[in-house]
Coordinates of all heavy atoms in Angstrom, one line a residue:
M1 N 5.1 5.3 -18.7 CA 3.6 5.3 -18.7 C 3.1 3.9 -19.1 O 3.4 3.3 -20.0 CB 3.1 6.3 -19.7 CG 3.3 7.7 -19.4 SD 2.1 8.1 -18.0 CE 2.6 9.7 -17.6
P2 N 2.1 3.5 -18.3 CA 1.4 2.3 -18.6 C 0.5 2.5 -19.9 O -0.2 3.4 -19.8 CB 0.6 1.9 -17.4 CG 0.4 3.3 -16.7 CD 1.6 4.0 -17.1
I3 N 0.5 1.6 -20.8 CA -0.2 1.8 -22.1 C -1.0 0.6 -22.3 O -0.7 -0.6 -22.0 CB 0.8 2.0 -23.3 CG1 1.8 3.0 -23.1 CG2 0.1 2.0 -24.6 CD1 1.2 4.4 -23.1
T4 N -2.3 0.8 -22.8 CA -3.1 -0.4 -23.1 C -2.7 -0.9 -24.5 O -1.8 -0.4 -25.1 CB -4.6 0.2 -23.2 OG1 -4.7 1.0 -24.4 CG2 -5.1 1.0 -22.0
T5 N -3.4 -2.0 -24.8 CA -3.0 -2.6 -26.1 C -3.3 -1.8 -27.3 O -2.8 -2.0 -28.4 CB -3.8 -4.0 -26.2 OG1 -5.2 -3.8 -26.1 CG2 -3.3 -5.0 -25.2
I6 N -4.2 -0.9 -27.2 CA -4.4 0.0 -28.3 C -3.7 1.4 -28.2 O -3.9 2.2 -29.0 CB -6.0 0.3 -28.5 CG1 -6.6 1.0 -27.2 CG2 -6.7 -0.9 -28.8 CD1 -8.0 1.4 -27.4
G7 N -2.8 1.5 -27.3 CA -1.8 2.6 -27.3 C -2.3 3.8 -26.4 O -1.7 4.9 -26.4
K8 N -3.3 3.6 -25.6 CA -3.8 4.7 -24.7 C -3.2 4.5 -23.3 O -2.8 3.5 -23.0 CB -5.3 4.7 -24.6 CG -6.1 5.1 -25.8 CD -7.6 5.2 -25.5 CE -8.3 5.6 -26.7 NZ -9.8 5.7 -26.4
I9 N -3.0 5.6 -22.6 CA -2.5 5.6 -21.3 C -3.5 4.8 -20.3 O -4.7 5.1 -20.4 CB -2.3 7.0 -20.7 CG1 -1.1 7.6 -21.6 CG2 -1.9 6.9 -19.2 CD1 -1.0 9.1 -21.1
F10 N -3.0 3.8 -19.6 CA -3.8 3.0 -18.7 C -3.9 3.8 -17.4 O -3.0 3.6 -16.5 CB -3.2 1.7 -18.6 CG -4.1 0.7 -17.7 CD1 -5.4 0.5 -18.1 CD2 -3.6 0.2 -16.5 CE1 -6.2 -0.4 -17.3 CE2 -4.4 -0.7 -15.8 CZ -5.6 -1.0 -16.1
K11 N -4.9 4.6 -17.2 CA -5.1 5.5 -16.1 C -5.2 4.8 -14.7 O -4.7 5.2 -13.6 CB -6.1 6.5 -16.3 CG -5.8 7.5 -17.3 CD -6.9 8.4 -17.6 CE -6.5 9.3 -18.8 NZ -7.7 9.9 -19.5
P12 N -5.9 3.6 -14.6 CA -5.9 2.9 -13.3 C -4.5 2.6 -12.7 O -4.4 2.8 -11.5 CB -6.7 1.7 -13.7 CG -7.6 2.1 -14.8 CD -6.7 3.0 -15.7
Q13 N -3.6 2.2 -13.6 CA -2.3 1.9 -13.2 C -1.6 3.2 -12.5 O -0.9 3.1 -11.5 CB -1.4 1.5 -14.3 CG 0.0 1.1 -13.9 CD 0.0 -0.2 -12.9 OE1 -0.6 -1.2 -13.2 NE2 0.5 0.0 -11.8
L14 N -1.8 4.4 -13.0 CA -1.4 5.5 -12.5 C -1.9 5.8 -11.0 O -1.2 6.2 -10.1 CB -1.7 6.8 -13.3 CG -1.2 6.9 -14.7 CD1 -1.6 8.0 -15.4 CD2 0.4 6.7 -14.7
I15 N -3.2 5.6 -10.9 CA -3.8 5.6 -9.5 C -3.2 4.6 -8.6 O -2.9 4.9 -7.4 CB -5.3 5.4 -9.7 CG1 -5.9 6.5 -10.5 CG2 -6.0 5.3 -8.3 CD1 -7.4 6.4 -10.9
W16 N -3.0 3.4 -9.1 CA -2.4 2.3 -8.3 C -1.0 2.7 -7.8 O -0.6 2.5 -6.6 CB -2.3 1.0 -9.0 CG -3.7 0.5 -9.4 CD1 -4.9 0.9 -9.0 CD2 -3.9 -0.6 -10.3 NE1 -5.9 0.2 -9.7 CE2 -5.3 -0.8 -10.4 CE3 -3.1 -1.5 -11.0 CZ2 -5.9 -1.8 -11.3 CZ3 -3.6 -2.4 -11.9 CH2 -5.0 -2.6 -12.0
W17 N -0.2 3.3 -8.7 CA 1.2 3.7 -8.3 C 1.1 4.7 -7.3 O 1.9 4.8 -6.3 CB 1.9 4.2 -9.6 CG 2.4 3.2 -10.5 CD1 2.4 1.8 -10.2 CD2 2.8 3.3 -11.8 NE1 2.9 1.2 -11.4 CE2 3.1 2.1 -12.3 CE3 2.9 4.4 -12.6 CZ2 3.6 2.0 -13.7 CZ3 3.4 4.3 -13.9 CH2 3.7 3.0 -14.5
E18 N 0.2 5.7 -7.4 CA 0.1 6.8 -6.4 C -0.3 6.2 -5.0 O 0.1 6.6 -4.0 CB -1.0 7.9 -6.8 CG -0.9 9.1 -5.9 CD 0.4 9.8 -5.8 OE1 1.3 9.8 -6.9 OE2 0.7 10.4 -4.8
A19 N -1.3 5.2 -5.0 CA -1.7 4.7 -3.8 C -0.5 3.9 -3.2 O -0.3 3.9 -1.9 CB -2.9 3.7 -4.0
E20 N 0.3 3.2 -4.0 CA 1.5 2.5 -3.5 C 2.4 3.4 -2.8 O 2.9 3.2 -1.7 CB 2.2 1.8 -4.6 CG 1.6 0.5 -5.1 CD 2.2 0.0 -6.3 OE1 3.3 0.4 -6.7 OE2 1.7 -1.1 -6.8
N21 N 2.6 4.6 -3.4 CA 3.5 5.6 -2.9 C 3.1 6.1 -1.6 O 3.8 6.3 -0.6 CB 3.8 6.8 -3.9 CG 4.6 6.3 -5.1 OD1 5.3 5.3 -5.1 ND2 4.4 7.1 -6.2
V22 N 1.8 6.4 -1.5 CA 1.3 7.1 -0.3 C 1.3 6.0 0.8 O 1.8 6.4 2.0 CB -0.2 7.5 -0.5 CG1 -1.0 7.7 0.8 CG2 -0.3 8.7 -1.4
A23 N 0.9 4.8 0.6 CA 1.0 3.7 1.6 C 2.4 3.5 2.1 O 2.8 3.4 3.3 CB 0.4 2.5 1.1
K24 N 3.4 3.4 1.1 CA 4.7 3.1 1.5 C 5.3 4.3 2.3 O 6.0 4.0 3.3 CB 5.5 2.9 0.2 CG 7.0 2.3 0.5 CD 7.7 1.8 -0.7 CE 8.9 1.1 -0.3 NZ 9.4 0.4 -1.4
E25 N 5.0 5.6 1.9 CA 5.5 6.7 2.7 C 4.9 6.7 4.1 O 5.7 6.9 5.1 CB 5.0 8.0 1.9 CG 5.6 9.3 2.4 CD 5.2 10.4 1.5 OE1 5.5 10.4 0.3 OE2 4.4 11.2 2.0
K26 N 3.7 6.4 4.3 CA 3.1 6.4 5.6 C 3.7 5.3 6.4 O 3.9 5.5 7.7 CB 1.6 6.4 5.6 CG 0.9 7.6 4.8 CD 1.3 8.9 5.6 CE 0.6 10.1 4.8 NZ 1.1 11.3 5.4
V27 N 3.7 4.1 5.9 CA 4.2 2.9 6.7 C 5.7 3.1 7.0 O 6.0 2.9 8.1 CB 3.9 1.6 5.8 CG1 4.5 0.4 6.6 CG2 2.5 1.4 5.7
S28 N 6.5 3.6 6.1 CA 7.9 3.8 6.4 C 8.1 4.7 7.5 O 8.9 4.6 8.4 CB 8.6 4.3 5.1 OG 8.7 3.3 4.1
A29 N 7.3 5.9 7.5 CA 7.4 6.8 8.5 C 7.0 6.3 9.9 O 7.7 6.6 10.8 CB 6.6 8.1 8.2
L30 N 6.0 5.5 9.9 CA 5.5 4.9 11.1 C 6.6 3.9 11.6 O 6.9 3.8 12.9 CB 4.2 4.1 11.0 CG 3.2 4.5 11.9 CD1 1.8 4.2 11.5 CD2 3.4 3.9 13.3
L31 N 7.1 3.1 10.7 CA 8.2 2.1 11.2 C 9.4 2.9 11.7 O 9.9 2.4 12.8 CB 8.6 1.2 10.1 CG 7.6 0.2 9.5 CD1 8.0 -0.5 8.4 CD2 7.1 -0.8 10.6
L32 N 9.7 4.0 11.1 CA 10.9 4.8 11.6 C 10.6 5.3 13.0 O 11.6 5.4 13.7 CB 11.2 5.9 10.6 CG 12.3 6.8 10.8 CD1 13.7 5.9 10.8 CD2 12.4 7.9 9.7
E33 N 9.4 5.8 13.3 CA 9.0 6.4 14.6 C 9.3 5.2 15.7 O 9.6 5.6 16.8 CB 7.6 6.7 14.6 CG 7.2 8.0 14.0 CD 5.8 8.2 14.0 OE1 5.1 7.8 15.0 OE2 5.2 9.0 13.1
H34 N 9.2 4.0 15.3 CA 9.4 2.9 16.2 C 10.7 2.2 16.1 O 10.9 1.1 16.6 CB 8.2 1.8 16.1 CG 6.8 2.3 16.4 ND1 6.4 2.4 17.7 CD2 5.9 2.9 15.7 CE1 5.2 3.0 17.8 NE2 4.9 3.3 16.5
N35 N 11.6 2.9 15.4 CA 13.0 2.3 15.2 C 12.9 0.9 14.6 O 13.7 0.1 15.0 CB 13.7 2.4 16.5 CG 14.0 3.8 17.0 OD1 14.3 4.7 16.2 ND2 13.7 4.0 18.3
I36 N 12.1 0.7 13.6 CA 11.9 -0.6 13.0 C 12.4 -0.3 11.4 O 12.0 0.6 10.8 CB 10.5 -1.1 12.9 CG1 10.0 -1.3 14.4 CG2 10.5 -2.4 12.1 CD1 8.6 -1.7 14.6
S37 N 13.3 -1.2 11.0 CA 13.8 -1.1 9.6 C 12.7 -1.3 8.6 O 11.9 -2.2 8.8 CB 14.9 -2.1 9.3 OG 15.2 -2.2 8.1
S38 N 12.6 -0.6 7.6 CA 11.7 -0.8 6.5 C 12.3 -1.4 5.3 O 11.7 -1.4 4.2 CB 11.1 0.6 6.2 OG 12.1 1.5 5.7
S39 N 13.5 -2.0 5.5 CA 14.2 -2.6 4.3 C 13.4 -3.8 3.7 O 13.5 -4.0 2.5 CB 15.6 -3.0 4.7 OG 15.4 -4.1 5.8
E40 N 12.7 -4.5 4.5 CA 11.9 -5.6 3.9 C 10.4 -5.2 3.6 O 9.6 -6.1 3.3 CB 11.9 -6.7 4.9 CG 13.3 -7.3 5.1 CD 13.3 -8.6 6.0 OE1 12.4 -9.3 6.0 OE2 14.3 -8.8 6.7
L41 N 10.1 -3.9 3.6 CA 8.8 -3.4 3.4 C 8.5 -3.6 1.9 O 9.2 -3.1 1.1 CB 8.6 -2.1 3.8 CG 7.4 -1.3 3.4 CD1 6.2 -1.9 4.2 CD2 7.5 0.1 3.8
D42 N 7.4 -4.1 1.6 CA 6.9 -4.2 0.1 C 5.4 -3.8 0.1 O 4.6 -4.2 0.8 CB 7.0 -5.6 -0.3 CG 6.7 -5.7 -1.8 OD1 7.1 -4.9 -2.6 OD2 6.0 -6.7 -2.2
V43 N 5.2 -2.8 -0.8 CA 3.8 -2.2 -1.0 C 3.5 -2.4 -2.5 O 4.1 -2.0 -3.3 CB 3.7 -0.8 -0.6 CG1 2.3 -0.3 -0.8 CG2 4.2 -0.7 0.8
K44 N 2.3 -3.1 -2.8 CA 1.9 -3.3 -4.1 C 0.5 -3.1 -4.2 O -0.4 -3.5 -3.3 CB 2.1 -4.8 -4.6 CG 3.6 -5.1 -4.9 CD 3.8 -4.5 -6.3 CE 5.3 -4.9 -6.7 NZ 5.9 -3.9 -7.4
A45 N 0.0 -2.4 -5.3 CA -1.4 -2.2 -5.6 C -1.8 -3.2 -6.8 O -1.1 -3.3 -7.8 CB -1.8 -0.8 -5.9
D46 N -2.9 -3.9 -6.7 CA -3.3 -4.8 -7.7 C -4.8 -4.7 -7.9 O -5.6 -4.3 -7.0 CB -2.9 -6.3 -7.4 CG -1.5 -6.5 -7.4 OD1 -0.9 -6.2 -8.5 OD2 -0.9 -7.0 -6.4
K47 N -5.3 -5.1 -9.1 CA -6.7 -5.1 -9.4 C -7.5 -6.1 -8.4 O -7.0 -7.1 -7.9 CB -6.9 -5.7 -10.8 CG -8.3 -5.7 -11.2 CD -8.4 -6.0 -12.6 CE -9.8 -6.0 -13.1 NZ -10.1 -6.4 -14.5
D48 N -8.6 -5.6 -8.0 CA -9.4 -6.3 -7.1 C -10.9 -6.3 -7.6 O -11.4 -5.2 -7.9 CB -9.4 -5.7 -5.6 CG -10.2 -6.5 -4.7 OD1 -9.8 -7.6 -4.3 OD2 -11.3 -6.0 -4.2
E49 N -11.5 -7.4 -7.8 CA -12.9 -7.4 -8.3 C -13.9 -6.7 -7.5 O -14.7 -6.0 -8.0 CB -13.3 -8.9 -8.5 CG -12.5 -9.7 -9.6 CD -12.5 -9.2 -11.0 OE1 -13.6 -8.6 -11.4 OE2 -11.4 -9.0 -11.5
K50 N -13.8 -6.7 -6.2 CA -14.8 -6.1 -5.3 C -14.5 -4.6 -5.2 O -15.5 -3.8 -5.1 CB -14.8 -6.8 -4.0 CG -15.9 -6.3 -3.1 CD -15.9 -7.2 -1.7 CE -16.9 -6.7 -0.9 NZ -17.0 -7.4 0.4
H51 N -13.3 -4.3 -5.0 CA -13.0 -2.8 -4.7 C -12.3 -2.1 -5.7 O -12.0 -0.8 -5.6 CB -12.1 -2.9 -3.5 CG -12.6 -3.6 -2.2 ND1 -13.6 -3.1 -1.4 CD2 -12.3 -4.8 -1.7 CE1 -13.9 -3.9 -0.5 NE2 -13.1 -5.0 -0.6
G52 N -12.1 -2.6 -6.9 CA -11.4 -2.0 -8.0 C -9.9 -2.3 -7.9 O -9.4 -2.6 -8.9
Y53 N -9.4 -1.9 -6.8 CA -8.0 -2.3 -6.5 C -7.7 -2.3 -5.0 O -8.5 -1.8 -4.3 CB -7.0 -1.3 -7.2 CG -7.0 0.1 -6.6 CD1 -6.0 0.6 -5.7 CD2 -7.9 1.1 -6.9 CE1 -6.0 1.8 -5.2 CE2 -7.9 2.3 -6.5 CZ -6.9 2.7 -5.5 OH -6.9 4.0 -5.0
I54 N -6.7 -3.0 -4.7 CA -6.3 -3.1 -3.3 C -4.8 -2.9 -3.1 O -4.0 -3.4 -3.9 CB -6.8 -4.6 -2.7 CG1 -6.6 -4.6 -1.2 CG2 -6.1 -5.7 -3.4 CD1 -7.3 -5.7 -0.6
V55 N -4.4 -2.3 -2.1 CA -3.0 -2.1 -1.7 C -2.6 -3.1 -0.7 O -3.2 -3.2 0.4 CB -2.7 -0.6 -1.2 CG1 -1.3 -0.5 -0.8 CG2 -3.1 0.4 -2.4
T56 N -1.6 -3.8 -0.9 CA -1.2 -4.9 0.0 C 0.3 -4.5 0.5 O 1.2 -4.3 -0.3 CB -1.0 -6.2 -0.8 OG1 -2.3 -6.6 -1.2 CG2 -0.5 -7.3 0.3
T57 N 0.4 -4.3 1.8 CA 1.6 -4.1 2.4 C 2.1 -5.3 3.1 O 1.5 -6.0 3.9 CB 1.5 -3.0 3.6 OG1 1.0 -1.8 2.9 CG2 2.7 -2.8 4.3
T58 N 3.4 -5.8 2.7 CA 4.0 -7.0 3.3 C 5.1 -6.6 4.2 O 6.0 -5.7 3.9 CB 4.6 -7.9 2.1 OG1 3.6 -8.1 1.2 CG2 5.1 -9.1 2.7
L59 N 4.9 -7.1 5.5 CA 5.9 -6.7 6.5 C 6.6 -8.1 7.0 O 6.0 -9.2 6.8 CB 5.2 -6.1 7.7 CG 4.5 -4.8 7.4 CD1 3.6 -4.5 8.6 CD2 5.4 -3.7 7.2
N60 N 7.7 -8.0 7.6 CA 8.3 -9.2 8.3 C 7.7 -9.4 9.5 O 6.9 -8.6 10.1 CB 9.9 -9.0 8.3 CG 10.3 -7.9 9.3 OD1 9.6 -7.6 10.2 ND2 11.5 -7.4 8.9
N61 N 7.9 -10.6 10.1 CA 7.3 -11.1 11.3 C 7.7 -10.3 12.6 O 7.0 -10.5 13.6 CB 7.5 -12.5 11.5 CG 6.7 -13.4 10.5 OD1 5.8 -13.0 9.9 ND2 7.2 -14.6 10.2
S62 N 8.8 -9.5 12.5 CA 9.3 -8.8 13.7 C 8.6 -7.6 14.0 O 8.8 -6.9 15.1 CB 10.8 -8.6 13.5 OG 11.0 -7.6 12.5
V63 N 7.6 -7.2 13.2 CA 6.9 -5.9 13.5 C 5.8 -6.2 14.6 O 5.0 -7.1 14.4 CB 6.1 -5.4 12.2 CG1 5.4 -4.1 12.6 CG2 7.3 -5.0 11.2
P64 N 5.9 -5.5 15.8 CA 5.0 -5.7 16.8 C 3.5 -5.4 16.5 O 3.2 -4.6 15.6 CB 5.4 -4.7 17.9 CG 6.8 -4.3 17.6 CD 6.9 -4.4 16.0
K65 N 2.6 -6.1 17.1 CA 1.1 -6.0 16.8 C 0.7 -4.6 17.0 O -0.2 -4.1 16.2 CB 0.4 -6.9 17.7 CG -1.1 -7.0 17.5 CD -1.4 -7.6 16.3 CE -2.9 -7.8 16.0 NZ -3.3 -8.0 14.6
N66 N 1.2 -3.9 18.0 CA 0.8 -2.5 18.3 C 1.1 -1.6 17.0 O 0.4 -0.7 16.7 CB 1.2 -1.9 19.5 CG 2.8 -1.8 19.6 OD1 3.5 -2.6 19.2 ND2 3.2 -0.6 20.1
V67 N 2.2 -1.8 16.5 CA 2.6 -1.0 15.3 C 1.8 -1.4 14.1 O 1.4 -0.5 13.3 CB 4.1 -1.2 14.9 CG1 4.6 -0.5 13.8 CG2 5.0 -0.8 16.1
I68 N 1.5 -2.6 13.9 CA 0.5 -3.0 12.8 C -0.8 -2.4 13.0 O -1.5 -1.9 12.1 CB 0.4 -4.6 12.8 CG1 1.8 -5.1 12.4 CG2 -0.7 -5.0 11.9 CD1 1.8 -6.6 12.5
T69 N -1.2 -2.3 14.3 CA -2.6 -1.6 14.5 C -2.5 -0.2 14.1 O -3.5 0.4 13.6 CB -3.0 -1.8 16.0 OG1 -3.0 -3.2 16.3 CG2 -4.3 -1.2 16.3
E70 N -1.4 0.5 14.4 CA -1.2 1.9 14.1 C -1.2 2.1 12.5 O -1.7 3.0 12.0 CB 0.1 2.4 14.7 CG 0.1 2.9 16.1 CD 1.3 3.6 16.5 OE1 1.7 4.6 15.9 OE2 2.0 3.0 17.4
I71 N -0.5 1.1 11.8 CA -0.4 1.2 10.4 C -1.9 1.1 9.8 O -2.3 1.8 8.9 CB 0.5 0.1 9.8 CG1 1.9 0.3 10.2 CG2 0.3 0.0 8.4 CD1 2.8 -0.8 9.9
E72 N -2.7 0.1 10.4 CA -4.0 0.0 9.9 C -4.9 1.2 10.1 O -5.7 1.6 9.2 CB -4.7 -1.3 10.6 CG -4.0 -2.6 10.1 CD -4.5 -3.8 10.9 OE1 -5.0 -3.6 12.1 OE2 -4.3 -4.9 10.4
E73 N -4.7 1.8 11.2 CA -5.4 3.1 11.5 C -5.0 4.2 10.6 O -5.9 4.9 10.0 CB -5.3 3.5 13.0 CG -5.9 2.6 14.0 CD -5.5 2.9 15.5 OE1 -4.8 3.8 15.6 OE2 -6.0 2.1 16.3
K74 N -3.7 4.3 10.3 CA -3.3 5.5 9.5 C -3.7 5.2 8.0 O -4.2 6.1 7.4 CB -1.7 5.6 9.6 CG -1.3 6.6 10.5 CD 0.0 7.2 10.2 CE 0.2 8.2 11.1 NZ 1.0 9.0 11.4
I75 N -3.5 4.0 7.5 CA -3.8 3.8 6.1 C -5.3 3.7 5.9 O -5.8 3.9 4.8 CB -3.1 2.4 5.7 CG1 -1.6 2.6 5.8 CG2 -3.4 2.1 4.3 CD1 -0.9 3.6 5.0
G76 N -6.0 3.3 7.0 CA -7.5 3.2 6.8 C -8.2 4.4 6.6 O -9.3 4.5 6.1
K77 N -7.5 5.5 6.8 CA -8.1 6.9 6.5 C -8.1 7.3 5.0 O -8.8 8.2 4.7 CB -7.3 7.9 7.2 CG -7.4 7.7 8.8 CD -6.6 8.8 9.6 CE -6.7 8.6 11.0 NZ -5.9 9.6 11.7
F78 N -7.4 6.5 4.3 CA -7.4 6.8 2.8 C -8.5 6.1 2.1 O -9.2 5.2 2.7 CB -6.1 6.4 2.2 CG -4.9 7.2 2.7 CD1 -4.1 6.7 3.7 CD2 -4.7 8.5 2.2 CE1 -3.1 7.6 4.1 CE2 -3.6 9.2 2.6 CZ -2.8 8.8 3.7
H79 N -8.9 6.5 0.9 CA -10.0 5.9 0.2 C -9.8 4.6 -0.5 O -10.8 3.9 -0.9 CB -10.4 6.9 -1.0 CG -9.5 6.9 -2.1 ND1 -8.3 7.7 -2.1 CD2 -9.6 6.2 -3.3 CE1 -7.7 7.5 -3.3 NE2 -8.4 6.7 -4.0
F80 N -8.6 4.1 -0.5 CA -8.2 2.7 -1.0 C -8.3 1.6 -0.1 O -8.2 1.8 1.1 CB -7.0 2.8 -1.8 CG -5.8 3.2 -1.0 CD1 -5.1 2.4 -0.1 CD2 -5.2 4.5 -1.2 CE1 -4.0 2.8 0.6 CE2 -4.2 4.9 -0.4 CZ -3.5 4.1 0.5
K81 N -8.7 0.5 -0.5 CA -8.7 -0.8 0.3 C -7.2 -1.2 0.6 O -6.4 -1.0 -0.3 CB -9.5 -1.8 -0.4 CG -9.6 -3.1 0.4 CD -10.5 -3.1 1.5 CE -10.7 -4.4 2.1 NZ -11.1 -4.4 3.6
H82 N -7.0 -1.5 1.8 CA -5.6 -1.9 2.2 C -5.5 -3.2 3.0 O -6.6 -3.4 3.8 CB -5.1 -0.7 3.0 CG -3.7 -1.0 3.4 ND1 -3.3 -1.4 4.7 CD2 -2.5 -0.8 2.7 CE1 -2.0 -1.4 4.7 NE2 -1.5 -1.1 3.6
Q83 N -4.6 -4.0 2.8 CA -4.4 -5.2 3.7 C -2.9 -5.3 4.0 O -2.0 -4.8 3.3 CB -4.9 -6.5 3.0 CG -4.2 -6.9 1.7 CD -4.7 -8.1 1.1 OE1 -5.6 -8.7 1.5 NE2 -4.1 -8.5 -0.1
I84 N -2.7 -5.9 5.2 CA -1.4 -6.1 5.6 C -1.1 -7.7 5.7 O -1.9 -8.4 6.2 CB -1.1 -5.5 7.0 CG1 -1.2 -4.0 6.9 CG2 0.3 -5.9 7.5 CD1 -1.1 -3.3 8.3
V85 N 0.0 -8.2 5.2 CA 0.3 -9.6 5.2 C 1.8 -9.7 5.8 O 2.6 -8.7 5.8 CB 0.3 -10.3 3.8 CG1 -1.1 -10.3 3.4 CG2 1.2 -9.6 2.8
Y86 N 2.2 -10.8 6.3 CA 3.5 -11.1 6.9 C 4.2 -12.0 6.0 O 3.7 -13.0 5.6 CB 3.3 -11.7 8.3 CG 2.4 -10.8 9.1 CD1 1.1 -11.2 9.2 CD2 2.8 -9.7 9.8 CE1 0.2 -10.5 10.0 CE2 2.0 -8.9 10.6 CZ 0.6 -9.4 10.7 OH -0.2 -8.7 11.5

């Protein structure tokens, strides 16, 4: 459990972890549908001043543009801010 400096549970981190899990699950499934390995997939949620937090998905350069567009559409349906980097 993430703990604050005064010993309380840091609830935003729990939300970030859940957002990471959801994004990773959806992106992995989409990559699998297109027979693309998800071994280099990295998903991280971090604090963002404007949105509260942002989920960043890092993909390798071999993922086709049409698959990236599908990922953006699928993840865009969730309430969290998301970005894809290569």
Side-chain angles (χ1 to χ4, degrees):
M1 282 288 170
I3 304 292
T4 65
T5 55
I6 60 171
K8 292 185 176 181
I9 295 173
F10 184 61
K11 292 178 185 154
Q13 183 66 56
L14 298 176
I15 294 168
W16 299 349
W17 286 345
E18 189 60 29
E20 286 175 2
N21 289 338
V22 167
K24 190 167 193 168
E25 189 175 291
K26 297 298 180 189
V27 173
S28 293
L30 230 161
L31 292 175
L32 185 62
E33 283 179 29
H34 292 278
N35 296 317
I36 300 170
S37 172
S38 61
S39 63
E40 294 183 34
L41 173 65
D42 184 43
V43 179
K44 283 282 183 216
D46 289 307
K47 185 177 180 179
D48 182 73
E49 294 301 319
K50 185 175 180 181
H51 304 286
Y53 68 99
I54 188 167
V55 177
T56 302
T57 299
T58 305
L59 301 169
N60 64 29
N61 291 336
S62 66
V63 178
K65 184 70 176 158
N66 65 316
V67 176
I68 292 171
T69 302
E70 278 187 62
I71 291 170
E72 289 171 340
E73 289 172 3
K74 263 211 177 173
I75 300 300
K77 295 178 182 179
F78 293 99
H79 73 279
F80 52 81
K81 180 71 176 157
H82 182 259
Q83 66 182 358
I84 296 176
V85 295
Y86 311 95

